Amino acid sequence: MPKTPLQTSDPELYNILVNEVSREDTTLELIASENFVSYPVLEMAGGVMTNKYAEGYPGKRYYGGCEFVDEAENLARDRANQLFGVEYSNVQPHSGSQANMAALMTFIDVGDTILGLDLAHGGHLTHGSKVNFSGNLYHSVSYQVEKETGRVDFDQVLSLAREHRPKLIICGGSAYPRFIEFEDFKEIAEDVSAFLMADIAHPSGLVATGLHPSPVPYCDVITTTTHKTLRGPRGGMIMMGKDSGNPWEIVAPKSGRLKNISELLDSAVMPGIQGGPLMHIIAAKAVAFGEALQPDFTVYTQQVVDNAKAMANEFLSRDYELISGGTDTHVILIDLSNKAMTGKVAENALEKAGITVNKNMVPFDERSPFITSGIRIGTPAITTRGMSQDDMVKIVALIDAIIEKPDDEDNIVRVKAEVKDLCTSFPLYSDLRA
Ligand code: DSN
């Protein structure tokens, strides 16, 4: 095979790339926020639109030569609107965090109060964590889940909302295995006249295919990433739908004038927090949204959920404690306390056996985020490889074998060989191997 340009010019980095292809192919990727994009998405993400400066929006750029990137961004927006049933989308945020930052900047002023899910209870850094801009620039109050059910404690949300009068409430999170309860949040937001923002970064692929309730009828603004269950390139997006009763005009935080929210959101993203958009990634988002509009994608997301449920049942039958007792989505959160094991030890031992998970705090965790009592598992990536329920049962058995004997090197070698065999039956990126 002829050498690739990278192989010729920079063999050191070429080898790093090839090693990553091999790692993804020969290990079980169970990180709930990861997925494997298609070749067409890769082609666009690695294409020449990376060269183009296009500050501004289609038809209103600060640079010439934007004819084709305009077409790509318009397609990305149109497809996003169709996919989620919304009237407005901004596909420029470089990440979910930047989508969240732009949304907060649009709806509220620095110093205003926000109410979001505690990071240690499944929330996200940008939902008000003290180590993040959201907890620094805003007065942040956090709600939690109930100890017994692992589900959002709506009595607490209501009482915190009435006590602190947040200007904006955030629903959604990074380690919440159940459907986000948009309707319940809406009731509370209305009670205290707060804006309601949904962060659907995790379940957006399930939302797009109707397997998770839609936030559109309830939320003033919706943010997401594009690379998790949605299976696009790494990035973020902001949306608004008319169904929510959102007036599409608000008194702008700074000027005090009545403004169209979509215009405020656009200018919060650029020039507010970003400069030049990543046009290769925006075009790759358009490709991924096109894929997600195909009937096959619903077959895929249904399998993601079926696989997560099959895994959850198998874990339960092996005496594992699952937060909330199971899952509605692609996420499973396991408390390993009854296995006398920390999340950190489990993550390291599983990684040695070729199984990639992340340590994760569980609600009311007494351990630090660097140790944790739990692990988070997700099925989007292994489902993309074509795995189904029978494979989930095998994978849980392999995980259990490691959790039982995390220090037994022979056991790790045996499990690693089985992981490799399983991966060989579901090849990934065969065309990209050295
Ligand atoms: N880091 C992402 C996750 O793993 O869920 C959230 O930003």
Side-chain angles (χ1 to χ4, degrees):
M1 219 166 37
K3 285 189 172 183
T4 71
L6 179 64
Q7 194 173 10
T8 307
S9 73
D10 195 336
E12 190 179 6
L13 268 159
Y14 175 79
N15 282 336
I16 292 172
L17 179 62
V18 165
N19 285 342
E20 175 60 12
V21 173
S22 166
R23 186 195 70 80
E24 292 185 15
D25 179 41
T26 56
T27 58
L28 285 172
E29 183 52 76
L30 296 178
I31 292 181
S33 46
E34 293 190 18
N35 211 329
F36 301 121
V37 299
S38 67
Y39 283 123
V41 171
L42 266 188
E43 184 180 343
M44 195 51 110
V48 295
M49 287 192 186
T50 190
N51 298 328
K52 190 72 200 95
Y53 249 121
E55 272 162 294
Y57 289 94
K60 288 177 283 178
R61 305 281 191 187
Y62 294 88
Y63 292 82
C66 288
E67 179 185 357
F68 299 113
V69 294
D70 274 9
E71 285 180 15
E73 185 164 348
N74 278 330
L75 262 182
R77 298 199 290 200
D78 291 347
R79 290 178 180 179
N81 291 357
Q82 192 184 341
L83 199 51
F84 289 93
V86 294
E87 282 78 22
Y88 164 86
S89 51
N90 184 313
V91 293
Q92 292 198 3
H94 301 329
S95 70
S97 294
Q98 286 183 284
N100 287 351
M101 188 177 208
L104 291 177
M105 281 175 59
T106 297
F107 283 86
I108 59 175
D109 254 331
V110 167
D112 282 344
T113 300
I114 58 172
L115 178 60
L117 179 58
D118 192 331
L119 182 60
H121 284 240
H124 186 255
L125 279 172
T126 54
H127 297 184
S129 163
K130 297 293 174 211
V131 295
N132 181 262
F133 80 90
S134 56
N136 276 310
L137 300 183
Y138 304 103
H139 171 237
S140 132
V141 179
S142 301
Y143 57 86
Q144 301 187 328
V145 299
E146 292 171 331
K147 198 161 195 168
E148 309 71 49
T149 63
R151 293 174 191 248
V152 170
D153 181 344
F154 281 97
D155 291 338
Q156 187 196 41
V157 180
L158 180 62
S159 86
L160 288 173
R162 285 186 175 162
E163 180 186 346
H164 296 279
R165 311 299 299 183
K167 201 140 175 216
L168 182 142
I169 298 176
I170 306 173
C171 57
S174 290
Y176 191 63
R178 297 298 179 176
F179 289 151
I180 307 166
E181 306 86 342
F182 304 117
E183 204 172 345
D184 299 297
F185 280 105
K186 174 71 173 173
E187 225 172 88
I188 295 174
E190 277 185 342
D191 187 89
V192 297
S193 302
F195 293 113
L196 181 59
M197 165 174 151
D199 180 343
I200 60 166
H202 264 269
S204 55
L206 312 184
V207 171
T209 47
L211 298 180
H212 183 294
S214 168
V216 177
Y218 308 105
C219 299
D220 297 293
V221 63
I222 301 157
T223 60
T224 185
T225 53
T226 47
H227 50 271
K228 298 184 174 97
T229 49
L230 198 48
R231 207 165 63 183
R234 186 161 293 282
M237 172 160 75
I238 307 173
M239 296 174 280
M240 283 195 311
K242 288 209 158 118
D243 283 0
S244 64
N246 177 336
W248 288 65
E249 279 194 327
I250 50 172
V251 177
K254 288 215 165 47
S255 67
R257 286 206 298 269
L258 203 60
K259 289 257 190 175
N260 184 299
I261 306 176
S262 58
E263 286 169 19
L264 287 175
L265 278 168
D266 281 350
S267 38
V269 174
M270 204 302 300
I273 57 171
Q274 292 186 178
L278 309 175
M279 292 315 307
H280 55 311
I281 297 300
I282 289 169
K285 288 173 185 172
V287 175
F289 300 159
E291 290 176 352
L293 283 164
Q294 303 308 311
D296 272 5
F297 192 71
T298 305
V299 176
Y300 161 69
T301 52
Q302 183 65 62
Q303 191 63 53
V304 166
V305 175
D306 291 347
N307 281 350
K309 286 182 190 289
M311 248 191 186
N313 288 337
E314 189 59 22
F315 274 119
L316 289 170
S317 75
R318 289 172 182 264
D319 193 30
Y320 280 79
E321 280 184 20
L322 306 189
I323 302 304
S324 85
T327 183
D328 295 328
T329 64
H330 60 297
V331 178
I332 299 167
L333 186 58
I334 306 178
D335 184 346
L336 293 169
S337 303
N338 69 337
K339 301 285 177 185
M341 156 128 346
T342 66
K344 182 179 178 187
V345 170
E347 179 190 298
N348 288 340
L350 287 166
E351 185 166 355
K352 281 193 207 158
I355 300 173
T356 317
V357 304
N358 65 281
K359 60 181 168 297
N360 214 100
M361 291 185 85
V362 294
F364 308 97
D365 208 323
E366 284 171 8
R367 295 194 167 98
S368 82
F370 300 106
I371 308 289
T372 81
S373 297
I375 51 173
R376 185 187 62 165
I377 287 180
T379 51
I382 50 173
T383 307
T384 293
R385 295 186 80 143
M387 295 183 189
S388 57
Q389 287 93 325
D390 289 348
D391 306 302
M392 300 305 115
V393 173
K394 286 184 209 156
I395 291 170
V396 173
L398 295 173
I399 293 172
D400 189 37
I402 295 293
I403 301 280
E404 288 292 314
K405 294 188 222 159
D407 301 320
D408 181 336
E409 291 299 327
D410 291 344
N411 184 46
I412 289 176
V413 169
R414 179 189 66 76
V415 170
K416 189 170 185 174
E418 286 192 42
V419 165
K420 205 163 176 194
D421 275 355
L422 185 57
C423 290
T424 306
S425 309
F426 298 92
L428 182 72
Y429 297 138
S430 317
D431 301 353
L432 303 179
R433 287 185 216 144

